Amino acid sequence: MKATSTIARATLAGLFLMALTPMSSATDLPQYLNFDGQLLDSSGNPIVGATSVVFEIYNPAKDCLLYKETQTITLVAADLGEFSTKIGPNAGGTASPDDGDISWYSLFQNSGQVRSSGTFCSTSYIPAAGDARVLHVIVNGTALSPDFVLAPAPMASVAQTLQGKVPSDFLEASPTSFISTLKADLQIDNNKKLMLGNAASPSSQFVGLKAPGGLTGSYTLTLPMDDGISGQILTTDGNGVLSWIPPGGGGGITSINGDNTSSQSFAAVASGTTLGWSNSPAHRP
């Protein structure tokens, strides 16, 4: 029994682009891989009738089962053993519990742990850079050989767009210079803070900005046009527009209770008595 496949590898470009797409919605893209082939018996004759086909996806060492799916493919004589099917959660086949409920997207990512050790994985699988995946196919209990290597098509490794977004539409996690311009409001929820850290230890040495708890409304603070000069303080116009001004209290007192004569004095009173003001000549001890 043998199978030939010329399209399985050609459709991997779509598979790997799908795996790299941000998961803003689980239904943005179909979660499956196209697989075409031909099923022949040991004499080279096309297989006719209901055929059990098991698809298993492994790590490169083939010691960690990442996904398993069983399908029944029914062929008639006119098919000449040729079939076309889809592998994946949206494909319509019966997924085995062996897949361990791993996200279809996470199967093909090469960052972080894909699967922990267990019954179907001898050791936890943490992909190395450039790791491909291996597709193992079993037809009516007979394993096909060799296995299929699920590697990305050359152009898929550097996608031109992701869901129509170009590279400048995204923020880099570890940029070496200025990141792309943010063209929309940045919203931080759940009373979390914006952390501005230093280069040595940004998670433990930072300046944080956050909104107060218990807000009942919204307001916006607009920064001044420049950085001000030494000694100035930041003030608001009451509408959230901030500006730099000299500190208050430097002008002196020009009148008390409306009396602006040149000389004023305190009257001698007992302790605890309310002080009054007069415009009599200044008292000097």
Side-chain angles (χ1 to χ4, degrees):
M1 187 178 301
K2 64 179 180 178
T4 61
S5 175
T6 58
I7 302 180
R9 290 183 177 86
T11 58
L12 294 182
L15 169 68
F16 274 74
L17 284 177
M18 177 178 64
L20 294 172
T21 302
M23 294 179 60
S24 56
S25 170
T27 58
D28 283 347
L29 291 173
Q31 300 181 58
Y32 59 75
L33 159 67
N34 290 320
F35 187 91
D36 291 2
Q38 184 182 33
L39 297 177
L40 307 174
D41 61 22
S42 57
S43 299
N45 299 314
I47 292 179
V48 176
T51 303
S52 172
V53 181
V54 179
F55 297 99
E56 297 178 335
I57 298 177
Y58 286 88
N59 63 329
K62 293 188 280 189
D63 58 4
C64 187
L65 178 62
L66 304 177
Y67 183 84
K68 180 177 180 179
E69 179 179 318
T70 301
Q71 296 187 22
T72 298
I73 298 175
T74 301
L75 300 172
V76 297
D79 292 327
L80 300 178
E82 296 177 352
F83 70 96
S84 179
T85 189
K86 295 178 174 62
I87 308 167
N90 298 81
T94 302
S96 164
D98 296 359
D99 60 47
D101 295 325
I102 298 177
S103 162
W104 180 252
Y105 293 96
S106 67
L107 288 178
F108 306 101
Q109 68 181 21
N110 279 350
S111 60
Q113 178 176 288
V114 174
R115 185 160 192 172
S116 58
S117 59
T119 304
F120 306 103
C121 195
S122 59
T123 59
S124 60
Y125 175 47
I126 302 176
D131 264 11
R133 305 295 185 269
V134 174
L135 175 64
H136 183 65
V137 182
I138 303 172
V139 179
N140 285 339
T142 300
L144 303 188
S145 182
D147 293 323
F148 299 90
V149 177
L150 303 182
M155 290 300 294
S157 60
V158 182
Q160 182 66 33
T161 66
L162 295 175
Q163 290 290 72
K165 301 293 185 180
V166 297
S168 61
D169 291 327
F170 297 89
L171 299 180
E172 296 182 48
S174 301
T176 56
S177 59
F178 288 107
I179 61 175
S180 301
T181 303
L182 187 62
K183 301 177 182 178
D185 291 338
L186 176 63
Q187 181 171 321
I188 302 177
D189 295 328
N190 299 322
N191 205 227
K192 300 300 183 182
K193 57 182 171 288
L194 174 64
M195 299 168 59
L196 308 175
N198 64 14
S201 183
S203 62
S204 60
Q205 298 174 355
F206 60 86
V207 174
L209 298 175
K210 64 182 296 185
L215 280 174
T216 58
S218 300
Y219 61 86
T220 299
L221 298 177
T222 303
L223 296 174
M225 294 293 291
D226 54 37
D227 57 358
I229 61 176
S230 177
Q232 287 187 319
I233 61 175
L234 197 61
T235 186
T236 176
D237 65 352
N239 294 311
V241 178
L242 306 180
S243 60
W244 299 107
I245 63 170
I253 298 174
T254 59
S255 69
I256 298 177
N257 288 340
D259 187 352
N260 58 4
T261 55
S262 60
S263 178
Q264 299 174 1
S265 64
F266 290 107
V269 295
S271 174
T273 303
T274 302
L275 294 176
W277 296 99
S278 73
N279 59 1
S280 58
H283 173 74
R284 295 180 176 83

